[in-house]
Amino acid sequence: MTPDDAVVAQPRPPVAPFSKPTLVAVFVAIGLLIAANNIGFANLARWVDDQPVRLLAFNSTNKILITVAGRVPEWVFFAVPLLRLLAPDPLFYALGVRYRDVAVRWGSDLYPGAKDWLTELTSGANPGAHRTLAILTFVAPNNPVCLAAGVIRMPPRLFWGLNIAGTLTRIALIRLLAALFADQLDWLVEAIVSSQSWFTRIALVVLAVYTVVQVKRLAGSADDLNGP
């Protein structure tokens, strides 16, 4: 088998949709992860110095990683973000596997910016789609990419191998970048902490609205995926 062949998803029999209670549980889990991200960002100014591990557990996006780098032991900086970043991936991958075309429509509604490439790479019309998705799973294993990987039935072993390797590489690069700009980051963190009250208030208002909108979309989509 050539390397190119290895990234091509093999035909598989249809997988039954989730039962309605399981589907609702999946959407509740996704909603809680979205809320955790927002809570972490809203508490950035309060937790970055005093509780950096808690901050990473709630939110391990790039901006949080580069802010916290250097404030926690190296093994913590790799272990906690790895688990946090991987947490939503099996949920989106499973939705893609079980709902396929319906999942693509749902993902396009939830992530409008991903609609064009999500549709193109899962339609079967692009002969290089499987290879492209394999690269994306390593470079940027975000929610729409994991959903698409499930839709094309990327083998689970390949999906997890690329996903974990790519996530660890991303964390290592951010750690290196933070070390190169340590002085500038210290200044930035001090500025955030010194304006903690205003930063937190503004972040809470913005993120509260965002969370409500996202959770409403997820709640409405649960019935759409469950079907009539």
Side-chain angles (χ1 to χ4, degrees):
M1 179 181 290
T2 68
D4 285 346
D5 292 334
V7 302
V8 177
Q10 300 300 318
R12 295 184 183 183
V15 180
F18 288 125
S19 65
K20 188 167 185 177
T22 302
L23 183 62
V24 171
V26 168
F27 275 78
V28 168
I30 293 173
L32 289 174
L33 290 171
I34 291 172
N37 252 17
N38 294 339
I39 291 170
F41 181 70
N43 286 281
L44 170 60
R46 296 167 55 188
W47 291 352
V48 66
D49 275 337
D50 297 337
Q51 302 181 65
V53 178
R54 174 183 287 188
L55 179 57
L56 286 176
F58 273 78
N59 186 324
S60 287
T61 53
N62 292 347
K63 56 183 174 289
I64 301 296
L65 284 173
I66 199 164
T67 305
V68 174
R71 286 174 162 73
V72 295
E74 190 166 336
W75 72 269
V76 172
F77 186 77
F78 278 85
V80 175
L82 177 64
L83 294 175
R84 178 62 185 86
L85 290 169
L86 292 178
D89 296 351
L91 303 176
F92 282 88
Y93 179 81
L95 287 172
V97 168
R98 291 173 179 271
Y99 294 94
R100 310 204 74 182
D101 291 342
V102 177
V104 173
R105 292 196 295 272
W106 167 75
S108 298
D109 291 337
L110 190 62
Y111 302 102
K115 180 177 180 179
D116 291 342
W117 68 259
L118 187 58
T119 302
E120 179 186 354
L121 294 181
T122 57
S123 65
N126 186 338
H130 297 289
R131 228 161 275 117
T132 301
L133 272 173
I135 294 170
L136 286 174
T137 302
F138 176 82
V139 174
N142 54 35
N143 295 343
V145 169
C146 294
L147 184 76
V151 171
I152 68 163
R153 304 291 181 85
M154 183 183 291
R157 189 174 298 179
L158 177 63
F159 171 74
W160 283 113
L162 292 170
N163 193 340
I164 293 172
T167 301
L168 286 172
T169 301
R170 168 183 162 192
I171 295 170
L173 289 174
I174 291 175
R175 182 81 173 191
L176 176 61
L177 188 64
L180 292 174
F181 296 96
D183 293 340
Q184 292 87 341
L185 287 172
D186 284 341
W187 176 86
L188 176 61
V189 171
E190 287 176 11
I192 291 173
V193 172
S194 65
S195 59
Q196 178 183 131
S197 178
W198 284 107
F199 182 92
T200 303
R201 289 173 188 173
I202 294 171
L204 281 172
V205 172
V206 172
L207 293 176
V209 174
Y210 175 78
T211 300
V212 169
V213 171
Q214 288 295 90
V215 171
K216 280 185 175 180
R217 284 182 181 178
L218 288 168
S221 299
D223 286 336
D224 292 340
L225 286 180
N226 196 58

